[in-house]
Amino acid sequence: MGMVGRIATVVRRRNVSAALIPPILSLLLLAAGSGCGRDAPFRGHHVVLINIETLRADCCGAYGAELGWTPEIDSLAARGILVERAYTVAPWTRPSVASLWTGLYPSQHGVKRMDPDHRLPEKAVTLAERFAGAGYRTFGAVTNANLSPELGFAQGFEEYLYRIGARADTLAAWTLDWVDRQIAGLEEGKKGPPLFIALHFDEPHGAFFQTAFRSGVDGKSREEMIRRVESLEEGERIAALEAYGARVAAVDKAIGELVRDLRARLGSDWLLVLTADHGEEWFDHGGLFHGFTLYEELIRVPLLFVSPGLAPSKRPGPMRNVDVLPTLSAWTGLREDGPNGGGSALGRALLGHGLFPEDVFAETDYERALVSRIGKREKYISDINNNWVEIYDVNCDLGERRNLAEEGRGGEGEHAAAVEAWRANLAAGTIAPEDGEPSLDARKRSELEEELRAIGYLGAKGRERGTPWPAGNRLDWRGLYRRFRVLRAGDPEISFDGGEWKTGAFPPRRVGWADASITVKASFRNGWALLGSHPWSGIAEIEVDGRIVEKIDLFSPQEGDRQKVLSIRLADAGPHTVHIRATGEKSGGSRASELLFDGFAIERVDGVGR
């Protein structure tokens, strides 16, 4: 009798409630096998590793957000193990995913800079290679230029699809097609080899580039971008956040549908891991984008483990993305090979039977060489080349506002010594090639640089500074949502009362034509119409309380969707009626007159608009 049968027999003999059997089985089984390859609880299970681009943990409902962007991820979290404090060890895609897939820190695998020669070395042993060596069929699908096969990320994958700009639903369709092909090749009644699937959903990346903001930052330095951010009015900031939320929602929807389809195909023997490569700056410390800092908004990410019968629970962590490879290796019984990384197998800790690591380290060399350490209470960030240090009490100062180092507090010497010891320990597992070692020919380098530039990388750098940027105004994106309410399709204040309408798949928006019109009835003094624009749209007319106040051209000469934000400022707090209608006019070469509606933001005044 196998382990499952023995445990089930014990449970029955002790008259345990049937409703409790699946959680108890999973706990006992995993506790027995999480530290031992011989009794690995997920041996032979299908494994799906989902990575979402730029998804902050605090934007997910499962982590306390009230934005409504991630209902599918929240549902998965409720059925699995959620790690409350999970971290990536690098704040931008290429080094972060390299660490997730190899269990090595950036200083070990050498993928640290945007230069195309900073590619994943062949010496690296990826999760895909480990699973392939154990007899798994392996599939990967990515849509970010930083994960190009030319950069070494296809190692170990039987099939690796790389398509810049592919949408989340397309990536999901590729995955199901591959799974169906594996199943179709099996003889009836026979079980085939287990599958390993690694996916990277890219849509939330650089969402603000889809707003009017982009025209003011293209080709600008980092410092100039920050100055532009500080000049944005509230409605423009809300529009940028809504663009990000729409993209997160699109990925969330695709993941929910994909997981349901995979469950129907794979039965009960599967394990899903869901995380993000890094977060995104949303004005928290004055800026946008990622890669440049090691604040919590960039390195704190969601992390879920989901499998049938696995008891739902929350674990405090901390857990790092370099811990995922050794944890999955232990849980599935993979042979340990390749260089020793900095991660640990945390299967027992995930089930409440072991300890999580005390320290979290992260690093970036994107613009400056930064390293951070998070201990039991304090977080230490250092620019190792410019003698600059920040220390925060991350238990009390969640926004990292008060730098204890400036007050001579925080134990700088202790943190610095811990960082030096950590860096010394990494040396044993280093496989990074020498800096400047060429790996791509001129043509491939040029093509890859163009792909990276298209998604916001390889732009001009900010001036080297000895103090953190920016020195100016810090904005709180949570405060924006407390001060403003965004009315969307389906809210009672919004009606689509003319023309023909459809729901756009990406980003989620309403698209109308044939004299399309919208009515907004709400109490507000200051509001902003959030409208979409693209090369096929025309002129929109805005009427407030029966008076035409503006005509706005929704035509965009740029490829892809953009947003246009119209400010409406009134003398009193309402109630007011706003009509937005397509005029039927065309402009700038547009081939149709469409109306694209993303939402209507209203400022809360003395409780009005709630």
Side-chain angles (χ1 to χ4, degrees):
M1 182 184 297
M3 179 177 291
V4 175
R6 292 196 300 272
I7 294 175
T9 299
V10 171
V11 169
R12 283 194 297 270
R13 286 176 178 171
R14 295 190 179 182
N15 297 318
V16 176
S17 168
L20 296 176
I21 290 177
I24 290 175
L25 281 175
S26 64
L27 286 170
L28 293 175
L29 199 64
L30 291 170
S34 59
C36 177
R38 185 177 64 255
D39 296 317
F42 291 107
R43 185 187 298 275
H45 278 51
H46 307 292
V47 177
V48 182
L49 175 58
I50 291 179
N51 199 37
I52 304 171
E53 179 75 32
T54 65
L55 178 60
R56 297 170 55 133
D58 60 4
C59 285
C60 300
Y63 285 87
E66 297 180 353
L67 300 167
W69 293 343
T70 59
E72 297 288 356
I73 292 173
D74 302 341
S75 176
L76 288 171
R79 304 200 305 271
I81 297 174
L82 178 146
V83 182
E84 294 178 310
R85 293 176 59 228
Y87 290 92
T88 177
V89 299
W92 61 286
T93 303
R94 199 186 309 170
S96 173
V97 177
S99 293
L100 177 67
W101 287 4
T102 66
L104 301 171
Y105 281 90
S107 290
Q108 294 178 300
H109 55 60
V111 182
K112 298 175 66 177
R113 300 194 184 102
M114 186 51 61
D115 187 319
D117 284 330
H118 275 248
R119 64 190 305 277
L120 192 61
E122 291 184 6
K123 292 180 183 178
V125 180
T126 66
L127 263 173
E129 289 178 297
R130 289 175 184 261
F131 279 113
Y136 283 66
R137 308 297 295 271
T138 58
F139 173 81
V142 303
T143 60
N144 187 298
N146 277 299
L147 306 180
S148 163
E150 302 295 346
L151 292 172
F153 285 91
Q155 293 176 197
F157 289 101
E158 177 183 325
E159 189 169 332
Y160 189 78
L161 295 181
Y162 166 68
R163 303 286 190 278
I164 295 296
R167 297 185 339 191
D169 52 1
T170 300
L171 188 149
W174 293 341
T175 305
L176 294 174
D177 175 69
W178 181 81
V179 171
D180 287 341
R181 281 188 276 124
Q182 308 313 305
I183 295 173
L186 300 177
E187 294 182 24
E188 187 174 352
K190 282 200 172 184
K191 183 178 179 180
L195 310 178
F196 172 67
I197 299 169
L199 308 175
H200 185 89
F201 291 87
D202 194 55
E203 274 91 333
H205 184 277
F208 54 84
F209 280 158
Q210 302 304 315
T211 72
F213 172 76
R214 179 165 190 167
S215 61
V217 300
D218 268 350
K220 303 293 186 181
S221 70
R222 178 68 165 166
E223 194 169 10
E224 290 171 311
M225 180 187 289
I226 297 306
R227 301 286 80 80
R228 169 67 176 130
V229 170
E230 292 179 340
S231 71
L232 293 175
E233 68 171 53
E234 290 91 339
E236 293 175 304
R237 296 173 192 158
I238 283 287
L241 284 163
E242 283 292 294
Y244 173 72
R247 287 169 164 247
V248 169
V251 170
D252 179 79
K253 180 175 182 290
I255 287 174
E257 294 175 351
L258 172 62
V259 171
R260 283 187 286 274
D261 287 336
L262 287 175
R263 289 173 65 188
R265 288 163 168 80
L266 302 181
S268 60
D269 293 340
W270 56 270
L271 170 66
L272 167 70
V273 182
L274 185 146
T275 189
D277 57 347
H278 52 78
E280 184 81 315
E281 298 173 78
W282 279 113
F283 323 123
D284 307 76
H285 291 84
L288 287 171
F289 211 52
H290 48 264
F292 298 91
T293 77
L294 294 174
Y295 296 123
E296 295 288 279
E297 58 261 25
L298 288 191
I299 64 172
R300 194 161 179 175
V301 295
L303 179 58
L304 314 176
F305 295 82
V306 186
S307 182
L310 187 59
S313 59
K314 291 184 179 181
R315 299 300 176 203
M319 187 169 179
R320 307 144 313 182
N321 69 344
V322 290
D323 299 322
V324 170
L325 180 143
T327 298
L328 288 181
S329 295
W331 272 5
T332 57
L334 297 186
R335 179 168 49 89
E336 292 291 337
D337 55 6
N340 294 322
S344 303
L346 298 178
R348 289 182 57 80
L350 287 171
L351 293 158
H353 304 298
L355 299 176
F356 288 97
E358 291 187 358
D359 290 338
V360 172
F361 295 95
E363 57 183 330
T364 184
D365 207 6
Y366 188 86
E367 184 179 58
R368 293 173 299 165
L370 304 180
V371 64
S372 70
R373 177 209 185 200
I374 304 174
K376 291 182 178 179
R377 185 173 188 89
E378 294 165 342
K379 179 176 180 180
Y380 167 90
I381 307 174
S382 174
D383 183 331
I384 60 180
N385 294 326
N386 287 310
N387 194 31
W388 156 65
V389 168
E390 291 177 83
I391 302 175
Y392 300 100
D393 184 337
V394 289
N395 290 327
C396 300
D397 182 13
L398 299 180
E400 296 165 288
R401 304 297 191 197
R402 183 178 180 180
N403 183 4
L404 300 180
E406 293 178 346
E407 305 171 14
R409 301 169 53 207
E412 179 179 338
E414 176 188 343
H415 288 295
V419 167
E420 286 305 309
W422 167 72
R423 296 179 71 189
N425 288 336
L426 294 185
T430 296
I431 59 171
E434 293 295 323
D435 279 351
E437 181 180 325
S439 59
L440 296 176
D441 62 35
R443 181 182 62 80
K444 290 179 179 178
R445 170 185 288 275
S446 177
E447 291 174 352
L448 184 56
E449 286 178 345
E450 185 60 33
E451 291 171 348
L452 291 168
R453 192 171 291 110
I455 59 173
Y457 293 101
L458 294 179
K461 296 288 184 71
R463 293 198 301 271
E464 190 71 28
R465 294 177 294 283
T467 57
W469 61 265
N473 183 31
R474 289 182 173 182
L475 308 168
D476 181 358
W477 71 271
R478 297 171 190 81
L480 287 174
Y481 276 109
R482 286 192 294 269
R483 287 173 51 204
F484 297 88
R485 180 183 171 202
V486 180
L487 308 175
R488 306 179 182 92
D491 286 335
E493 296 90 343
I494 303 291
S495 61
F496 297 86
D497 46 15
E500 301 174 15
W501 291 90
K502 66 178 181 180
T503 300
F506 178 73
R509 61 155 52 116
R510 288 294 181 94
V511 181
W513 62 98
D515 298 321
S517 65
I518 306 160
T519 299
V520 180
K521 292 184 177 181
S523 295
F524 69 96
R525 179 179 291 119
N526 298 320
W528 289 267
L530 312 182
L531 304 173
S533 67
H534 61 49
W536 299 278
S537 49
I539 309 296
E541 182 179 82
I542 289 83
E543 175 187 292
V544 180
D545 298 334
R547 180 174 60 89
I548 295 175
V549 297
E550 185 102 28
K551 285 189 176 183
I552 182 170
D553 188 354
L554 300 181
F555 171 77
S556 171
Q558 297 172 304
E559 194 65 32
D561 290 312
R562 296 289 184 271
Q563 275 188 327
K564 292 201 173 178
V565 183
L566 176 66
S567 176
I568 300 175
R569 298 182 182 274
L570 304 171
D572 62 87
H576 298 287
T577 299
V578 179
H579 288 292
I580 307 172
R581 61 173 65 90
T583 66
E585 302 173 58
K586 300 177 183 180
S587 175
S590 63
R591 299 198 294 269
S593 182
E594 291 182 331
L595 183 58
L596 299 90
F597 179 76
D598 291 336
F600 195 92
I602 57 176
E603 186 174 16
R604 307 178 194 270
V605 181
D606 298 328
V608 175
R610 292 185 183 275

